[in-house]
């Protein structure tokens, strides 16, 4: 099956007209399959928004190729299959929520027989029915964001691009947005999320890519990134004594803590040897787990590492 | 075309939401009310009779007064109405290009050229409605007072709107280039109130200028700049039932509209947002 988004060697150079060039994207390649929640992460100025804008034809690439739904992305009709929630969007303040959705439907050329019903349904999903006839200028930031989501999914798109979807939304609202994203995924939609909130990305994403200084520095699943394959945490039935510490001296134990210790393993045979030593000394092994770190920790270390490499 | 129509409709609605167009409508209503009071209460022949003699208008005394009145109404509408129209319309494009607005539009299956055309027709139709309201008001008040129904007077709706269309092409182009409503407004005022009238009367200045090069430059500039002063003269001629001296400003202005809108679309198509 082809990817819904296929990007190859994408380069975007901004020129300020004074011979100062900024490479916002520097050879970005990635593929995003159908029906997943994909998150694009990166520090400010990494090129995330530039990439999204290029996908949607808001900016133009300097070089490289992009395919959407297996076709050249320049085909304007493909936009009918994409829903988009921009960051810091400004909806016409003089329209009501309901009228905005009618306007957006017009812009998409989306005119089903039951449009009014569909609009009511979308407002219901984002819990905005109560304010459907209130002018947007009276909406709070959270309400604007929910309306933004409604307009992004109104025309039943296959690909939904959300730029900072939980920006300005309270924790309960965020939970609802996460649930909505997962519900859309269950319906077979592909969701492309651009977000700074790593903890949320961690909860919903099937795969992620991390951009730094215009380059993809990581592409894969959150699990692959946060699981430290070489470090194991071993839990015992009782506190260890100096003798067992002495017996394990040949291994790279990185942390001792009451009945637990962490050890860095080079070969699988080392793990078997440790288990054997523990058994010989009457220790019962209660747990053996690969150590996981948070996405935030891995993100920061990756950005620092690749930042230094690039400099 | 349906995309252009969608943007036109929405721009019209946006224009309605802006207070300045409502202000224009209220000012016109106020002027019409004053006009009604004036034609009922004042002996117009005392005021406009001597003026009509100076302007050498043909016809009987009533017709002369009628014509002068039309001119007195149309001239301020042309310069004042267009002043207000330029003021209120110069921010449409910079607002559209603002971060948060432009992403929403360009992410939709609409060509950039359609966006520009939709904005152009939307704002123009708003100005047309306001101008038509004023001219039709004048037409009916004067018609009821003088029992003289001069249908050709209604053509001024088209010429005043056309003058705006010429200027709005320029406003759009400057708006796309600078994203500044102030620049678009100031430059258009400069052209409408200074350059265009000066260039329209350049032949009078030729008596003082000997250099053929300067004369040539002024002639070239006359054809480059929008000829709104000449369109104003055509509007006055229509109001006075006089013969139009030349239709050339109309043709040159049509070319000007195509060039400015074409350039605006071309540049807009090339830009990153």
């Amino acid at each position: 099956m082809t990817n819904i988004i296929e990007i190859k060697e994408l380069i975007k150079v901004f020129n300020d007209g004074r011979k100062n060039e900024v490479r916002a994207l520097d050879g970005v390649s990635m593929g995003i399959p159908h029906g997943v929640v994909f998150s694009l992460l990166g520090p400010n100025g990494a090129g995330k928004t530039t990439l999204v804008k290029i996908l949607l034809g808001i900016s133009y690439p300097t070089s490289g190729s992009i395919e959407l739904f297996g076709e050249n992305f320049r085909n304007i009709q493909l936009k009918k299959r994409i829903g988009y929630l921009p960051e810091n969007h400004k909806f016409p303040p003089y329209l009501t929520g309901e009228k905005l959705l009618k306007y957006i439907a017009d812009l998409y050329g989306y005119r089903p027989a039951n449009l009014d019903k569909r609009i009511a349904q979308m407002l219901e999903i984002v819990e905005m029915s109560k304010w459907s006839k209130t002018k947007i200028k009276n909406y709070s930031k959270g309400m604007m964001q929910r309306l933004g989501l409604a307009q992004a999914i109104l025309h039943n798109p296959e690909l939904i691009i959300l730029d900072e979807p939980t920006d300005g939304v309270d924790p309960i609202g965020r939970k609802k947005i996460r649930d909505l994203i997962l519900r859309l995924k269950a319906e077979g939609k592909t969701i492309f999320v651009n977000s700074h909130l790593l903890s949320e990305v961690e909860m919903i994403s099937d795969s992620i890519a991390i951009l730094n200084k215009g380059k993809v520095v990581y592409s894969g699943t959150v699990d692959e990134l946060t699981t430290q394959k070489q470090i194991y945490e071993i839990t015992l039935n009782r506190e260890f004594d100096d003798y067992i510490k002495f017996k394990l001296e040949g291994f790279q134990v990185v942390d001792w803590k009451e009945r637990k210790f962490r050890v860095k393993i080079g070969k699988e045979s080392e793990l078997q040897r440790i288990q054997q030593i523990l058994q010989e000394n009457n220790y019962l092994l209660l747990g053996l787990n690969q150590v996981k770190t948070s996405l935030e920790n891995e993100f920061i270390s990756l950005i620092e590492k690749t930042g230094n490499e690039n400099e | 075309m349906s995309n252009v129509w969608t943007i036109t409709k929405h721009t019209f609605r946006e224009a309605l939401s802006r207070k300045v167009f409502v202000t224009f409508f209220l000012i016109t209503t106020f002027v019409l009310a004053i006009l009604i009071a004036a034609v009922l209460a004042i002996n117009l022949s005392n005021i406009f009779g001597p003026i009509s003699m100076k302007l050498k208008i043909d016809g009987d005394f009533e017709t002369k007064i009628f014509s002068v009145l039309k001119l007195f109404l149309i001239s301020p509408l042309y310069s004042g109405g267009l002043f207000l129209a330029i003021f209120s319309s110069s921010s449409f494009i910079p607002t559209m290009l603002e971060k948060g607005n432009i992403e929403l539009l360009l992410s939709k299956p609409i060509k950039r050229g359609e966006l520009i055309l939709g904005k152009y027709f939307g704002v123009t139709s708003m100005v047309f409605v306001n101008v038509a309201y004023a001219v039709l008001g004048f037409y009916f008040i004067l018609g009821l007072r003088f029992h003289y129904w001069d249908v050709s007077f209604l053509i001024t709706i088209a010429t005043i709107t056309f003058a705006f269309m010429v200027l709005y092409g320029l406003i759009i182009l400057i708006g796309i280039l600078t994203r500044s409503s102030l620049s678009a407004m100031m430059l258009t005022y400069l052209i409408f109130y200074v350059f265009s009238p000066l260039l329209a009367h350049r032949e009078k200045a030729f008596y003082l200028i000997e250099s053929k090069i300067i004369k040539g430059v002024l002639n070239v500039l006359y054809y480059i700049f929008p000829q709104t002063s000449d369109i104003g003269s055509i509007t006055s001629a229509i109001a006075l039932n006089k013969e139009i001296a030349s239709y050339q400003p109309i043709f040159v202005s049509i070319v000007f509209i195509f060039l400015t809108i074409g350039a605006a679309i071309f540049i807009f198509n090339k830009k990153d947002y």
Side-chain angles (χ1 to χ4, degrees):
Chain A
M1 193 168 69
T2 56
N3 286 327
I4 198 163
I5 301 175
E6 190 71 57
I7 301 168
K8 282 180 191 157
E9 288 300 317
L10 189 67
I11 293 173
K12 175 66 187 175
V13 179
F14 286 110
N15 199 322
D16 69 354
R18 289 177 217 153
K19 292 182 182 173
N20 293 329
E21 283 189 352
V22 178
R23 285 178 94 83
L25 296 173
D26 194 0
V28 170
S29 296
M30 61 174 76
I32 299 162
H34 284 265
V36 300
V37 178
F38 170 85
S39 295
L40 185 63
L41 309 173
N44 289 338
K48 306 186 298 290
T49 302
T50 303
L51 178 60
V52 168
K53 284 185 174 182
I54 289 174
L55 285 177
L56 291 159
I58 298 165
S59 290
Y60 300 114
T62 306
S63 67
S65 74
I66 302 172
E67 283 190 356
L68 294 173
F69 310 100
E71 290 182 45
N72 187 316
F73 82 117
R74 288 178 199 273
N75 177 357
I76 202 161
Q77 293 307 317
L78 293 178
K79 291 185 185 179
K80 287 187 176 177
R81 297 162 73 181
I82 306 172
Y84 175 49
L85 170 70
E87 188 187 10
N88 300 323
H89 49 75
K90 286 184 193 162
F91 296 133
Y94 47 86
L95 293 180
T96 63
E98 193 181 70
K99 291 240 169 83
L100 175 87
L101 294 192
K102 277 188 182 158
Y103 170 50
I104 296 292
D106 263 356
L107 291 177
Y108 276 113
Y110 179 68
R111 296 178 189 95
N114 60 345
L115 180 63
D116 288 342
K117 200 178 159 192
R118 173 85 184 160
I119 287 172
Q121 202 184 355
M122 290 301 108
L123 290 168
E124 179 82 46
I125 287 173
V126 296
E127 296 179 5
M128 286 292 293
S129 304
K130 207 169 142 189
W131 295 280
S132 65
K133 296 196 189 306
T134 304
K135 285 197 172 170
I136 291 171
K137 64 181 172 192
N138 299 316
Y139 284 8
S140 68
K141 176 89 173 130
M143 287 158 86
M144 289 277 280
Q145 204 66 358
R146 271 142 62 197
L147 185 66
L149 273 169
Q151 65 83 33
I153 58 175
L154 173 70
H155 59 296
N156 200 18
E158 294 160 62
L159 171 63
I160 301 156
I161 300 177
L162 308 173
D163 205 345
E164 302 292 352
T166 54
D167 191 22
V169 182
D170 61 35
I172 298 166
R174 280 185 204 167
K175 165 87 172 61
K176 285 178 180 168
I177 291 174
R178 285 201 304 270
D179 291 345
L180 176 62
I181 290 173
L182 294 174
R183 183 176 149 183
L184 291 165
K185 183 194 157 191
E187 287 172 16
K189 314 282 185 204
T190 308
I191 329 285
F192 184 120
V193 181
N194 203 351
S195 178
H196 281 106
L197 295 172
L198 301 176
S199 56
E200 299 202 342
V201 164
E202 198 168 3
M203 280 186 249
I204 56 169
S205 305
D206 296 306
S207 62
I208 61 167
I210 299 177
L211 272 184
N212 191 26
K213 297 183 177 173
K215 290 184 183 204
V216 178
V217 293
Y218 176 78
S219 178
T221 66
V222 176
D223 257 0
E224 283 164 0
L225 183 67
T226 55
T227 305
Q228 299 195 342
K229 291 194 177 75
Q230 293 172 315
I231 299 179
Y232 285 81
E233 187 174 79
I234 295 170
T235 310
L236 305 173
N237 62 331
R238 59 188 169 91
E239 278 188 39
F240 25 73
D241 51 31
D242 289 342
Y243 180 71
I244 197 75
K245 281 187 178 178
F246 166 74
K247 291 288 273 181
L248 294 173
E249 248 179 10
F251 300 95
Q252 290 184 61
V253 177
V254 290
D255 189 24
W256 294 100
K257 205 176 181 183
E258 295 175 1
R259 291 183 297 149
K260 290 180 181 175
F261 68 94
R262 288 182 174 188
V263 61
K264 200 167 183 181
I265 301 296
K267 292 177 194 164
E268 209 167 301
S269 59
E270 287 180 35
L271 199 59
Q272 286 166 355
R273 180 75 192 118
I274 290 170
Q275 283 176 290
Q276 197 182 353
I277 292 169
L278 290 170
Q279 275 170 6
E280 284 167 5
N281 291 278
N282 299 321
Y283 280 92
L284 196 62
L285 208 133
L286 297 179
L288 174 66
N289 299 304
Q290 276 187 317
V291 172
K292 272 191 149 192
T293 58
S294 69
L295 177 60
E296 189 173 84
N297 283 343
E298 282 308 304
F299 175 82
I300 292 167
S301 75
L302 203 57
I303 295 301
E304 282 174 352
K305 193 177 142 199
T306 53
N308 292 337
E309 278 170 9
N310 289 347
E311 277 159 13
Chain B
M1 275 312 281
S2 76
N3 288 336
V4 175
W5 174 235
T6 300
I7 302 295
T8 300
K9 271 192 305 182
H10 181 73
T11 306
F12 193 87
R13 199 183 297 162
E14 186 183 351
L16 277 178
S17 76
R18 295 192 181 202
K19 299 282 184 287
V20 71
F21 273 112
V22 179
T23 309
F24 184 73
F25 184 79
L26 293 175
I27 289 171
T28 310
T29 308
F30 181 68
V31 171
L32 289 174
I34 288 181
L35 183 64
I36 292 169
V39 295
L40 291 175
I42 301 168
N43 186 350
L44 296 166
S45 29
N46 286 348
I47 302 168
F48 295 106
I51 300 169
S52 68
M53 297 300 177
K54 275 191 180 178
L55 288 173
K56 294 174 187 167
I57 297 164
D58 296 332
D60 57 39
F61 195 61
E62 278 273 292
T63 314
K64 284 178 182 176
I65 291 169
F66 175 68
S67 298
V68 172
L69 250 176
K70 282 193 290 181
L71 187 65
F72 263 74
L73 293 169
I74 286 299
S75 292
L77 178 67
Y78 188 79
S79 54
L82 286 182
F83 175 88
L84 219 64
I86 294 165
F87 180 78
S88 56
S89 62
S90 56
S91 62
F92 276 81
I93 293 295
T95 303
M96 180 186 84
L97 298 178
E98 275 175 17
K99 202 171 159 51
N101 284 337
I102 190 68
E103 290 89 347
L104 205 67
L105 291 167
L106 294 184
S107 61
K108 306 292 177 284
I110 294 177
K111 288 178 186 157
R112 293 186 181 204
E114 291 173 333
L115 269 178
I116 295 285
L117 290 176
K119 285 278 163 197
Y120 183 73
F121 292 128
V123 174
T124 300
S125 53
M126 188 70 225
V127 171
F128 171 79
V129 168
N130 271 322
V131 171
Y133 173 62
V135 174
L136 281 169
F138 298 156
Y139 176 74
F140 281 110
I141 293 167
L142 296 182
L144 289 169
R145 166 68 178 78
F146 293 96
H147 308 291
Y148 190 81
W149 301 94
D150 178 14
V151 181
S152 64
F153 179 59
L154 298 179
I155 298 170
T156 56
I157 298 172
T159 54
I160 297 172
T161 309
F162 180 70
F164 175 77
M165 288 172 81
V166 177
L167 294 171
Y168 197 53
L170 186 69
I171 289 172
I172 287 184
L173 179 60
I174 301 167
I176 292 287
L177 283 169
T178 65
R179 298 191 196 188
S180 157
S181 52
L182 192 68
S183 306
M185 193 165 64
M186 297 309 286
L187 199 61
T188 309
Y189 280 143
L190 196 68
I191 287 172
F192 182 53
Y193 290 110
V194 181
F195 290 139
S196 182
L198 282 177
L199 290 167
H201 296 97
R202 71 200 180 287
E203 279 171 3
K204 286 176 188 163
F206 284 171
Y207 294 114
L208 306 168
I209 301 165
E210 283 188 10
S211 164
K212 281 186 178 174
I213 296 170
I214 293 175
K215 282 181 183 177
V217 168
L218 288 175
N219 274 329
V220 169
L221 287 176
Y222 171 69
Y223 288 102
I224 289 174
F225 280 103
Q227 298 181 358
T228 45
S229 186
D230 291 318
I231 300 169
S233 302
I234 291 172
T235 306
S236 301
I238 291 168
L240 291 172
N241 269 333
K242 280 188 170 179
E243 200 177 318
I244 295 166
S246 165
Y247 287 96
Q248 168 259 313
I250 304 280
F251 300 125
V252 172
S253 297
I254 290 171
V255 173
F256 184 83
I257 292 173
F258 275 103
L259 286 177
T260 48
I261 294 294
I265 292 173
F266 179 79
I267 295 163
F268 188 42
N269 269 325
K270 297 273 173 205
K271 280 203 168 191
D272 284 324
Y273 292 96

